[in-house]
């Protein structure tokens, strides 16, 4: 579900889908979320309370019952119901209601990767005994329970007694599909079915079973069992495993045919917290919204309030800035980066010159040579779209020239591999003018080359009367010189909702990740591709998110008492900033946050920036939420926002962002560090990497801790008479060290308005200049795959 490089990286999010009830002649009812804050005092009476609220705008018990979609009461209060705009507006004005918003439709945004992060197969053997007590909840497209990744063969310990979840039955799924590894599996179809109708027919199971592969992939990445000799038909062969192999997994299916509604997402969050999960991984996203009109932000707030760590994918809309989603400060927002492995498929021309392309090409051509043609040169003159033949767009080429030939196609439009395959073609050489760092599976032999190699290939075609070529199967290459880079598709900051909170928080491997797959799902996403596999290689922030979940589970197995904010801080302050001025790293922390996770270092960070519900409540005051609203959200009945409104920049966050500075700068912030080092007695000294042209002072400059969990605060002041006009943003760092631990916080300052920074950053990236992709349907692809494949145009995008 997350294949990169094949498509446009941007995917529109369908917002509110209408339901069928007609009010008069004009207004239709749609599913809305009525959010009422913290969990009710009497959860067993919650549904009755919600029905009374509905009764004030609906007529009769039958209409109230028919309207209700979900009742939320375990970790927060509220319900989902079919309402008209007028009815929703009336409820929003009622006492005790925080927000009312339409239930929008969100989308789903590995052998080598854990080795790359320093968690070898042997390092997991050093897990504390509590590792098997960690429970990871995964909100996704379900799970394929027969996968070896969910085997409990090496988990002799019984299921933790605190577990309250269950395995529900449905299409091709029963409670017997669960075991000591996969301890829970639930489904949440109500919101989807209210929008789109009953879940029936091929391509989906109305049960926790995963028909798409995405959910199995993310769950096994986070906490899958060790599986030796895993590969995609020989590619990436090795031991596939999760970050914490002994962790338990609970699958919460909220996505159906690739679509995930707010109503279903909130129901899953509510149930997961009640079931007793320790962590939640959510590789789902839509467009950024106000925090309490966003199902993931709401669900995550109350999960974190109950001690549950939540990680979410940043999205696949890069490299444009201000595209990061899931930006609430209480959850961990994850970008995607590459690792030290790539998959190359060589192209050999009739003149014996080889060219090395990138692809997940597992199909061998049956003959040594095939005619080589350019899609642009074999245009179908009668087609109104003939000028798009270079993209091998459907109907634009002379089909007799395609048959039994290898065709050179430019990426960006339609699905060239599917078009060539349908016409009887032998293979495709795909030209990508933007990025050649991500491998994709195609429905026929295919290799992706850059524009420079494409010029030589086209020159050869024009130099001979009978050009021929061969495309060789891919090989796996591990190269230490392949330094991690922010993936081109990974969504960038700044945080469009609260610019003074740096997002994304962190990056993790999200390019060419091997993990469990549903054997009924297409490998390439094409309906004509009938190959079946238990493991697949895909890419996206959907893949990086469960890496952070797995790393957080690893840290929690050593420190079960740590709060979600402490674990997040440990991961962020021990992360490694990505090197320098590489092509897709030049937007720095806006792309990768604090840097690449280092799970083993995060188990001993020395100091953490901790935060709890009180800190987040003050943060909400800084966003101009009223005391009454914060009381409802937090459950603190006596809470009042201070007379002097707190600054959001003073949230005790592990990174520092100062946004939209105009003219001179004079800004002070406060942070508090908690000593979690193994030695209670230690002194930390600050090292300042000042942003260019900015004077930074920290007081005090050293912190002496003489007891475990002691908390000490410091102030940092940032001053400048003027900021360098040529800089898009200014970056630096504050680092505290005691000689053993290094506690690093990135500092990001930008002196420009939204328009200025957007223009300057995006101007540095090449433009594709290709027409709008063809609309189509491809339910077997995750949104990650669709958005990313679209860049190369290898399959139709379902908009």
């Amino acid at each position: 579900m997350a294949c990169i490089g094949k498509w446009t990286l941007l995917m529109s999010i369908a917002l509110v889908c209408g339901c069928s009830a007609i009010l008069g002649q004009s207004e239709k009812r749609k599913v809305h979320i009525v959010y009422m804050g913290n969990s009710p005092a009497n959860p067993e009476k919650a549904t009755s309370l919600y029905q009374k609220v509905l009764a004030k705008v609906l007529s009769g018990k039958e209409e109230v019952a028919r309207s209700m979609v979900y009742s939320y009461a375990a970790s927060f209060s509220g319900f989902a119901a079919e309402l008209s705009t007028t009815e929703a507006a009336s409820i929003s004005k009622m006492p005790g209601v925080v927000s009312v918003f339409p239930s929008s439709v969100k989308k789903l945004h590995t052998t080598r990767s854990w080795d790359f992060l320093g968690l070898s197969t042997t390092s997991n053997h050093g897990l504390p005994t509590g590792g098997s007590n960690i429970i990871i909840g995964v909100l996704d497209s379900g799970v394929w329970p027969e996968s070896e990744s969910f085997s409990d063969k090496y988990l002799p310990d019984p299921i933790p007694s605190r577990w309250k979840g269950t395995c529900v039955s449905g299409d091709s799924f029963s409670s017997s599909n669960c075991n000591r590894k996969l301890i829970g599996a639930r489904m949440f179809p109500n919101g989807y079915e209210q929008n789109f109708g009953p879940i029936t027919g091929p391509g989906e199971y109305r049960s926790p079973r995963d028909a798409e592969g995405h959910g199995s992939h993310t769950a096994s990445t986070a906490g899958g069992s060790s599986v030796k000799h895993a590969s995609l038909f020989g590619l990436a062969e090795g031991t596939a495993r999760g970050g914490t192999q002994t962790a338990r997994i609970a699958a919460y299916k909220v996505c159906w045919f690739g679509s995930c509604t707010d109503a279903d997402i909130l129901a899953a969050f509510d149930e997961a917290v009640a079931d007793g999960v320790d962590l939640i991984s959510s590789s789902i996203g839509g467009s950024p919204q106000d925090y309490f009109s966003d199902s993931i932000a709401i669900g995550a707030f109350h999960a974190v309030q109950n001690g549950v760590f939540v990680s979410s994918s940043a999205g696949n809309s890069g490299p444009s800035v201000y595209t990061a989603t899931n930006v609430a400060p209480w959850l961990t927002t994850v970008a995607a980066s590459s690792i030290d492995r790539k998959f190359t498929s060589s192209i050999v021309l009739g003149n014996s010159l080889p060219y090395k392309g990138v692809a997940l090409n597992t199909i061998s051509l049956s003959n040594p040579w095939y005619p080589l043609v350019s899609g642009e040169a074999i245009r179908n003159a009668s087609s109104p779209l003939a000028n798009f033949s270079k993209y091998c767009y459907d109907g634009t080429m002379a089909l007799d020239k395609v048959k039994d030939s290898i065709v050179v196609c430019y990426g960006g439009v339609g699905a060239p591999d599917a078009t060539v395959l349908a016409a009887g073609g032998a293979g495709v050489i795909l030209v990508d003018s933007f990025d050649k760092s991500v491998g994709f599976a195609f429905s026929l032999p295919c290799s992706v080359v850059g524009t420079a190699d494409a010029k030589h290939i086209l020159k050869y075609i024009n130099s001979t009367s009978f050009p021929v070529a061969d495309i060789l199967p891919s090989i796996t290459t591990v190269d230490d010189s392949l330094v991690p880079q922010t993936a081109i598709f990974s969504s960038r900051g700044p945080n469009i909702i609260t610019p003074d909170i740096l997002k994304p928080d962190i990056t993790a491997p999200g390019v060419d990740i091997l993990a469990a797959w549903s054997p009924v799902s297409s490998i390439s996403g094409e309906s004509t591709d009938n190959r079946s596999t238990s493991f697949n290689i895909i890419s996206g922030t959907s893949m990086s998110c469960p890496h952070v979940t797995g790393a957080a589970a690893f840290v929690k197995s050593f420190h079960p008492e740590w709060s979600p904010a402490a674990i997040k801080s440990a991961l962020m302050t021990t992360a490694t900033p990505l090197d320098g001025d590489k092509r897709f790293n030049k937007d720095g922390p806006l792309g990768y946050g604090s840097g690449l996770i280092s799970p083993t270092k995060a188990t001993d960070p020395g100091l953490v920036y901790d935060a709890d519900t009180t800190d987040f409540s003050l943060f909400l005051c800084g966003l101009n939420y009223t005391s009454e609203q914060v009381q409802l959200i937090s459950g603190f009945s006596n809470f009042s926002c201070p007379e002097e409104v707190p600054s959001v920049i003073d949230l005790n966050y592990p990174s520092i962002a100062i946004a939209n500075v105009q003219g001179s700068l004079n800004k002070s912030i406060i942070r508090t560090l908690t000593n979690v080092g193994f030695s209670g007695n230690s002194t930390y000294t600050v090292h300042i990497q000042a942003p260019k042209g900015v004077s930074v002072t920290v007081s005090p400059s050293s912190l002496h801790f003489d007891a475990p969990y002691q908390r000490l605060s410091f102030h940092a002041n940032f001053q400048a008479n003027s900021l360098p006009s040529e800089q898009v943003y200014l970056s630096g760092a504050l680092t505290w060290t005691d000689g053993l631990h290094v506690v690093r916080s990135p500092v990001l300052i930008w002196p420009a308005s939204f328009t200025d920074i957007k223009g300057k950053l995006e101007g540095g990236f090449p433009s594709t200049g290709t027409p709008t992709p063809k609309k189509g349907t491809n339910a077997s692809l995750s949104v990650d795959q669709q958005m990313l494949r679209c860049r190369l145009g290898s399959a139709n995008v379902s908009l």
Side-chain angles (χ1 to χ4, degrees), residues 50-266:
Y50 304 153
Q51 289 173 339
K52 290 178 180 178
V53 172
L54 279 174
K56 294 180 179 180
V57 297
L58 302 178
S59 57
K61 291 183 179 180
E62 289 186 3
E63 190 173 18
V64 168
R66 196 165 48 244
S67 173
M68 184 79 78
V69 178
Y70 283 112
S71 172
Y72 310 125
S75 61
F76 58 90
S77 299
F79 58 92
E82 284 189 315
L83 299 168
S84 70
T85 303
T86 302
E87 291 162 351
S90 296
I91 291 177
S92 70
K93 299 173 184 177
M94 294 181 184
V97 174
V98 177
S99 59
V100 180
F101 56 96
S103 174
S104 66
V105 180
K106 291 180 167 59
K107 296 289 183 178
L108 293 164
H109 281 160
T110 115
T111 51
R112 178 71 191 163
S113 56
W114 288 113
D115 287 330
F116 181 70
L117 294 174
L119 276 183
S120 66
T121 52
T122 55
S123 69
N124 265 255
H125 296 161
L127 273 174
T129 56
S132 62
N133 288 324
I134 302 298
I135 303 171
I136 299 173
V138 182
L139 274 60
D140 214 291
S141 64
V143 65
W144 193 265
E146 292 84 3
S147 169
E148 289 184 76
S149 293
F150 309 118
S151 168
D152 64 357
K153 183 177 180 180
Y154 299 107
L155 266 178
D157 297 337
I159 295 171
S161 59
R162 61 188 171 87
W163 176 244
K164 299 177 183 178
T166 188
C167 287
V168 302
S169 297
D171 293 347
S172 302
F173 199 96
S174 70
S175 59
S176 63
N177 288 119
C178 289
N179 55 29
R180 293 188 304 275
K181 180 67 174 180
L182 179 63
I183 64 173
R186 294 183 184 270
M187 62 172 174
F188 301 87
N190 295 4
Y192 180 90
E193 292 186 324
Q194 289 292 113
N195 278 352
F196 303 109
I199 297 168
T200 59
E204 188 56 278
Y205 299 97
R206 197 181 188 281
S207 77
R209 185 171 290 277
D210 180 15
E212 300 186 41
H214 192 277
S216 302
H217 200 283
T218 56
S220 63
T221 299
S225 299
S226 179
V227 182
K228 294 181 179 180
H229 307 298
S231 72
L232 173 62
F233 300 124
L235 289 178
E237 182 173 355
T239 300
R241 64 189 187 279
T244 307
Q245 300 167 48
T246 56
R248 318 295 177 138
I249 293 173
Y252 296 85
K253 186 172 180 179
V254 298
C255 300
W256 308 86
F257 297 105
S259 294
C260 329
T261 70
D262 284 331
D264 295 337
I265 291 168
L266 277 170

Side-chain angles (χ1 to χ4, degrees), residues 491-730:
S491 291
R492 269 64 167 176
N495 181 340
I496 199 168
I497 304 298
T498 313
D500 288 314
I501 300 295
L502 179 61
K503 291 286 180 170
D505 292 307
I506 205 163
T507 192
V511 175
D512 296 342
I513 304 302
L514 179 81
W517 193 248
S518 170
V520 300
S521 180
S522 169
I523 295 172
S524 63
E526 300 297 341
S527 59
T528 53
D529 187 352
N530 296 318
R531 291 173 294 167
S532 177
T533 183
S534 297
F535 290 87
N536 200 5
I537 299 170
I538 55 177
S539 303
T541 55
S542 277
M543 283 61 257
S544 56
C545 173
H547 276 92
V548 168
T549 311
F554 183 72
V555 173
K556 189 173 182 65
S557 68
F558 285 87
H559 305 286
E561 77 283 4
W562 282 10
S563 70
I567 295 173
K568 174 178 179 175
S569 174
L571 290 169
M572 290 176 64
T573 60
T574 59
T576 303
L578 300 193
D579 281 342
D581 231 348
K582 302 294 181 181
R583 183 182 184 195
F584 299 119
N585 283 344
K586 66 180 180 180
D587 45 1
L590 292 178
Y592 57 73
S594 294
L596 181 68
I597 58 170
S598 178
T600 52
K601 288 182 181 179
T603 62
D604 183 23
L607 305 173
V608 295
Y609 295 90
D610 207 352
D612 58 17
T613 305
T614 298
D615 296 293
F616 295 127
S617 296
L618 292 170
F619 169 81
L620 294 177
C621 293
L623 293 179
N624 296 318
Y625 283 78
T626 66
S627 296
E628 291 74 17
Q629 288 174 315
V630 178
Q631 287 172 12
L632 289 171
I633 294 166
S634 66
F636 296 159
S637 58
N638 296 321
F639 180 89
S640 294
C641 289
E643 288 187 16
E644 184 177 343
V645 178
S647 172
V648 296
I649 203 171
D650 284 331
L651 177 65
N652 202 37
Y653 213 68
S655 59
I656 299 169
I658 303 174
N660 299 323
V661 177
Q662 300 293 335
S664 62
L665 169 66
N666 186 2
K667 178 74 73 172
S668 291
I669 62 109
I670 186 172
R671 291 288 189 272
T672 300
L673 286 161
T674 301
N675 179 25
V676 294
F678 294 115
S679 171
N681 195 317
S682 56
T683 299
Y684 284 80
T685 303
V686 70
H687 293 263
I688 300 171
Q689 179 189 341
K692 181 179 179 181
V694 178
S695 173
V696 182
T697 57
V698 175
S699 179
S701 59
S702 65
L703 298 171
H704 178 73
F705 296 88
D706 54 21
Y709 296 100
Q710 182 181 1
R711 294 164 58 91
L712 295 175
S713 298
F714 67 89
H715 290 80
N717 180 258
F718 302 84
Q719 289 188 340
N721 292 328
S722 62
L723 297 177
S725 59
E726 75 279 4
Q727 295 291 121
V728 174
Y729 64 85
L730 309 172

